[in-house]
Amino acid sequence: MSLVVKDLVVDHGAIRAISGVSFTVETGKLSAVIGANGAGKSTLLRTLSGLNKATAGSAHWGEHNLLQGKAESHVRNGVSHVSEGKSVVAELTVEENLDLGALWRRNKKEAAETKNQVVELFPRLGERLSQRADTLSGGERQMLAIGRAVMSKPQLLLLDEPSLGLAPLVIEQIFQTIRGIVDSMNLTVVLVEQNAMGALKIADTAVVLNLGSVATSGSAADLIADPAVRAAYLGY
């Protein structure tokens, strides 16, 4: 299965936030979406996860139409979205948050196995299973948000700014774990990031958005080597 986005258009009232965006992400690959603030990165992700309505175009995950139905139907079809701002339930413990991610899964034995995988990926969470989420650091909350998304056993994971507001050392750790999830679970990931260099280093492919349109796209390694991309987005 692949994620195939064609000629996607999204309007916010009179403002065109996304204009004719097309790209494909193959199964088991990590694609970074980078660009300046206001480029339309988060709008793109919210549209793919069913939170924003598209004006025109198409977006499919395999046979599943991402532009129709509610966000819940996308989750049941293997699509999970981690929104910007570490979306966890503060009053619940780490373990309760993880269990919430597996709420709709019927096979509880498999869900328990997934929880073990999540704890292996994020040992810090394993040490804090009984702690309330609001006692965690920013980095730990981000780990929990990603872990909870993995609990729904997604095939396509949409990550919005996972490095936002985190210390450089924690960002490095989060990025490496995201790469590990892709490799160990054969997950397909679309990673929206302000930290362009960090995202490109772990990505297979990348899409550069500028004012809602695709400025360029290709292999992440090629984009890192492209002097125009380096000057505009990587700061050197």
Side-chain angles (χ1 to χ4, degrees):
M1 284 205 296
S2 304
L3 170 66
V4 181
V5 179
K6 279 186 184 169
D7 303 322
L8 187 66
V9 177
V10 182
D11 292 333
H12 291 325
I15 297 165
R16 179 143 291 183
I18 298 285
S19 180
V21 164
S22 300
F23 65 95
T24 299
V25 186
E26 301 297 337
T27 302
K29 298 295 182 187
L30 193 166
S31 186
V33 179
I34 64 171
N37 267 336
K41 303 186 300 295
S42 291
T43 298
L44 171 65
L45 222 56
R46 288 176 62 81
T47 305
L48 296 180
S49 66
L51 297 173
N52 282 5
K53 286 283 173 228
T55 306
S58 65
H60 288 85
W61 169 243
E63 297 296 311
H64 181 65
N65 187 347
L66 294 173
L67 303 186
Q68 287 182 353
K70 295 185 175 173
E72 297 81 40
S73 78
H74 298 339
V75 173
R76 290 178 186 276
N77 279 278
V79 181
S80 205
H81 177 215
V82 180
S83 60
E84 184 189 320
K86 308 168 193 63
S87 49
V88 298
V89 182
E91 300 79 13
L92 298 182
T93 66
V94 167
E95 188 157 27
E96 286 166 343
N97 266 283
L98 292 176
D99 290 341
L100 203 58
L103 205 56
W104 65 272
R105 289 178 66 179
R106 289 194 176 89
N107 190 324
K108 297 306 169 194
K109 183 170 176 282
E110 276 188 11
E113 286 168 6
T114 305
K115 196 193 295 183
N116 290 337
Q117 277 183 298
V118 168
V119 168
E120 276 176 33
L121 283 164
F122 298 109
R124 198 91 55 87
L125 296 183
E127 295 162 11
R128 289 160 171 70
L129 285 175
S130 59
Q131 277 184 229
R132 275 173 51 132
D134 58 5
T135 66
L136 302 179
S137 68
E140 289 163 351
R141 280 201 300 276
Q142 186 62 69
M143 291 172 193
L144 180 55
I146 296 170
R148 192 175 76 170
V150 170
M151 285 296 293
S152 70
K153 208 169 184 191
Q155 297 163 306
L156 173 63
L157 188 57
L158 307 172
L159 296 176
D160 194 358
E161 301 274 15
S163 77
L164 194 69
L166 301 181
L169 205 62
V170 180
I171 291 171
E172 179 70 23
Q173 197 181 357
I174 294 275
F175 278 161
Q176 288 311 316
T177 304
I178 291 167
R179 185 68 241 181
I181 290 171
V182 174
D183 295 336
S184 64
M185 297 183 172
N186 198 35
L187 266 183
T188 307
V189 173
V190 178
L191 170 66
V192 158
E193 256 303 335
Q194 199 65 35
N195 183 335
M197 184 50 112
L200 288 175
K201 277 181 177 173
I202 61 163
D204 300 298
T205 60
V207 178
V208 180
L209 288 186
N210 183 40
L211 300 175
S213 299
V214 176
T216 186
S217 64
S219 85
D222 286 350
L223 291 185
I224 289 174
D226 184 327
V229 171
R230 285 213 308 254
Y233 301 101
L234 306 179
Y236 71 98

